Amino acid sequence: TLSLPVVTLTLASQCIDSNSVLGNADLSYRFHFYDGAVLPIGLGLSLLLNGLFLARHMNRAELLTLPDLYGRTYGPLCEVLGGLITITSFLALLAAALLALRA
């Protein structure tokens, strides 16, 4: 299993990227503080809820990703599809972060 600092920094790095930082600053400047605070508050709540309700069960089942869960529950085809969807979504996040760096 991974240590607590490794898991904490990995999750934090997903939340703190140029896309969210610059986007939140821009929304806060243009409109109101709470418009820019929506993303960090939502991410924080989702991490807390996942930690409270899902992490123990996933750790006990020795799962690292949701596609692992899909593979055990629905078969290898769903595991591959879930992995492809995850990769595609992270590529979109990476593209948005790179665009935000250019702006």
Side-chain angles (χ1 to χ4, degrees):
T1 62
L2 299 173
S3 66
L4 180 63
V6 171
V7 172
T8 303
L9 291 174
T10 301
L11 292 174
S13 70
Q14 293 176 5
C15 300
I16 305 170
D17 63 352
S18 61
N19 184 25
S20 64
V21 171
L22 294 176
N24 292 340
D26 183 49
L27 285 173
S28 296
Y29 178 75
R30 285 190 190 185
F31 302 107
H32 196 270
F33 168 76
Y34 296 107
D35 293 320
V38 169
L39 181 64
I41 290 171
L43 286 171
L45 286 175
S46 70
L47 289 174
L48 285 174
L49 291 173
N50 283 324
L52 289 173
F53 298 111
L54 295 177
R56 183 180 313 121
H57 303 293
M58 289 186 71
N59 194 18
R60 207 175 293 143
E62 297 180 355
L63 297 171
L64 291 178
T65 64
L66 285 177
D68 291 339
L69 175 64
Y70 301 151
R72 286 191 189 174
T73 307
Y74 304 109
L77 178 63
C78 284
E79 183 176 14
V80 170
L81 289 175
L84 291 174
I85 291 169
T86 303
I87 290 169
T88 304
S89 67
F90 277 110
L91 285 175
L93 284 172
L94 176 63
L98 292 175
L99 285 174
L101 281 173
R102 214 181 76 176

